[in-house]
Each structure stands twice: as structure tokens, then as C-alpha cells.
Amino acid sequence: MTLDDLRVFIAVYETGNLSTVARTLSCTQSAVSQHVKRLERETGLALIERQPRGVVPTPAGRILYQAALGGIASLDTAIHQLGELRDGHGGTVKITTGGVTVRHFMADAITAFRHRYPQVTLEFRSAHSARRCIELLHSGRVELAWITLGQPLPGIQQRPVIDLPWVLVVHADDPLAEKDIIHPGDLATIRYITHPENSASHQRLEENFVRLGVSPPAPVGVADWDTAILLAELGIGHAVLPALPRLVLSPDSPVRAVPIPDLTPITVGWAVRQWNALSPSATEFADLVAAG
């Protein structure tokens, strides 16, 4: 049993497809199968079952996966830290999140962290969906992922940080800007600036619309959170957004943010492979962001 055997098995477990793993690793499907078969000979148990559309883990496979994932995550972190120690670096904390969330959730934490640990580098990798953030975590290319949290994910530990209610961002001259709250019926009349289709916020909002029986008109555009606010400011449409921490509007602002209490808030926070395998600097940064 080798580390390569375990790494390949983890990839097979998570993708459920031998050919996908072979393409990712630039090897043959037969080579991937040999890694798994070697583990099965060592354990004396079948670890995967082949099905018409891929493979699924056996109970023994699930046990080995959980043990291997934790061990390799810890080993990867240790190797990374040893390399930085050897090279004389202060270290690097690698984070992935959506393109606009750093400004809304992390600006103060970044300033505080750099003041406390000037020798440590913060490295950000922008991702366009929570799914992509999780892929980067699984591959070991980042330590921390800031995402919209949802259902439990294999091999991932999630830590909620903040619940965000929804608001309608609308131009101050729009009649909806005069309301104290937005009702479901109001949403059926808006010129909707939708979120990118692969984003978690898009999915949650669509689920809310279905639950409330609301069918907004065809979207007038697709935009990230910050661009949606700008489009609302220009009077192009209405933005249904989470109540972002830095969405603080002055009385003379050209837009208003009106609460939509009937929409279920979304929860955002951290996702990691294992909290107890994080570097101390990564843990510190995560705690600073959570402290707000």
C-alpha cells in the first residue's frame, strides 16, 4: 500500500469514475484500476463496486476513504510547512472564494492578519462556484474555502460564520424603494438581474421562488453581486441579493436595500478538509474572518 494508491483511491471515491481519474492523472484506466486492486489485496476486501455508469464505494471503501483522507490531508499540510521551513519562508495561507466576496467579508481580517503576521503571504484563488472551491480543497491546492454552505460534503468540514437575509437593491426613484419590506407578490413584477447560473446563491434564490410560488419575469441581465448593485444604481433592473456586510447605503445613495423577509437566509462560512490539519496561520486567518 503506497501513498499514490491512497491518493488514486480517494480520487476514484470522489468522482465515481475511473476514466475521469485517468484523464486527470494523465494515465490509463488500467493503471487507475491497479492502484485500487492493490489496496483491495492489502485489505482483503472489495472497496468499490462497478456499475454501468461508474463505480460506487462499498462499506469497506467508505471506511478506508475517511481514514485515508484525514491522513493525507495532515501529511500534505506537514510537507507544505516543512518546505516553507526549509526555504526560510514565513509561510503561505491559500484561500479560495468567489470573485467579489473578499471585499465584503475579508477586508478587515486581511488588514489585521498582515499587521500581525507580515512574514506570511495570503494567496487567493478566485472560483466561480462553491463546487469549484471544493474541488480546489480536495486537490490540496488551497487550505480554506469561503462558500455558501449547504448539505454535508464527503471529506469536507464546514463551519458556519454568518446568516445573510435577502434584500432587494432598487433605484431610489423606483416605487418599490418606498416599501418597508418586499412581499412575494412584489417579486413577480421586478426587472430581475439574476445571479450566475452555476453560483450557489442562484440555486438558493430559485429554490425560494419555487417555494413561494413566485415567477419573476425573464431576467434583464446576469451579474455578480457587485455588478448587480451597479446595474440597480443605473436603473437597469432590480438586484435580489444577500444583505452583504459592506452593503451600507447612505440616505443620499442612489439605491435602497429593502428587506425580503419571506426568502430563507443563506449561510456562508468556511470549508476545509480537516480543521485540525490546518496550519496555525490558516487557522488564525479563518478565526479573524469569523470574528468579523
Side-chain angles (χ1 to χ4, degrees):
M1 181 184 300
T2 68
L3 285 176
D4 282 342
D5 293 338
L6 292 172
R7 291 184 193 278
V8 171
F9 173 68
I10 287 172
V12 170
Y13 183 103
E14 291 173 351
T15 63
N17 192 291
L18 296 174
S19 60
T20 298
V21 175
R23 286 195 300 272
T24 301
L25 298 178
S26 300
C27 65
T28 65
Q29 185 171 325
S30 175
V32 172
S33 294
Q34 288 303 314
H35 283 288
V36 177
K37 288 177 180 177
R38 189 154 45 235
L39 290 173
E40 290 180 327
R41 287 196 298 270
E42 291 263 354
T43 61
L45 295 165
L47 300 175
I48 59 172
E49 294 178 354
R50 287 167 173 77
Q51 296 188 345
R53 294 189 176 182
V55 299
V56 296
T58 65
R62 286 191 286 272
I63 291 172
L64 181 62
Y65 170 78
Q66 292 297 333
L69 193 68
I72 287 180
S74 299
L75 183 60
D76 286 343
T77 299
I79 290 173
H80 176 71
Q81 293 173 352
L82 289 171
E84 291 178 337
L85 183 63
R86 179 194 62 229
D87 298 334
H89 296 160
T92 301
V93 178
K94 298 181 179 181
I95 307 123
T96 183
T97 187
V100 303
T101 54
V102 172
R103 180 172 72 87
H104 288 289
F105 298 100
M106 301 183 188
D108 293 339
I110 290 171
T111 300
F113 185 87
R114 290 178 66 88
H115 179 73
R116 295 185 191 182
Y117 306 99
Q119 77 282 9
V120 179
T121 301
L122 292 175
E123 181 180 305
F124 289 90
R125 295 194 61 162
S126 180
H128 299 295
S129 67
R131 179 177 179 179
R132 178 56 180 159
C133 288
I134 297 304
E135 289 174 354
L136 291 171
L137 269 184
H138 275 311
S139 67
R141 282 176 278 181
V142 298
E143 294 175 89
L144 295 163
W146 180 268
I147 62 171
T148 299
L149 301 182
Q151 297 297 319
L153 299 168
I156 296 296
Q157 296 178 354
Q158 301 182 46
R159 180 173 293 178
V161 174
I162 185 172
D163 292 327
L164 300 173
W166 294 90
V167 296
L168 182 73
V169 179
V170 56
H171 194 277
D173 292 337
D174 191 291
L176 291 175
E178 301 300 320
K179 288 181 168 285
D180 294 324
I181 63 172
I182 299 298
H183 297 284
D186 298 321
L187 295 173
T189 68
I190 64 173
R191 302 187 310 280
Y192 179 35
I193 304 166
T194 189
H195 301 205
E197 189 169 349
N198 61 347
S199 66
S201 57
H202 175 93
Q203 178 183 344
R204 301 296 172 78
L205 196 51
E206 292 298 315
E207 291 170 354
N208 268 290
F209 286 160
V210 170
R211 176 178 59 82
L212 295 173
V214 173
S215 297
V220 298
V222 179
D224 60 45
W225 295 347
D226 283 349
T227 306
I229 293 171
L230 176 60
L231 294 176
E233 184 176 321
L234 296 173
I236 293 175
H238 302 86
V240 181
L241 298 173
L244 303 169
R246 288 182 171 252
L247 184 59
V248 179
L249 304 177
S250 63
D252 58 349
S253 172
V255 294
R256 301 284 185 270
V258 188
I260 315 174
D262 287 300
L263 298 183
T264 305
I266 63 172
T267 301
V268 296
W270 289 115
V272 303
R273 287 183 295 176
Q274 279 196 320
W275 282 104
N276 60 9
L278 284 182
S279 64
S281 52
T283 301
E284 177 74 9
F285 181 73
D287 289 343
L288 282 171
V289 174

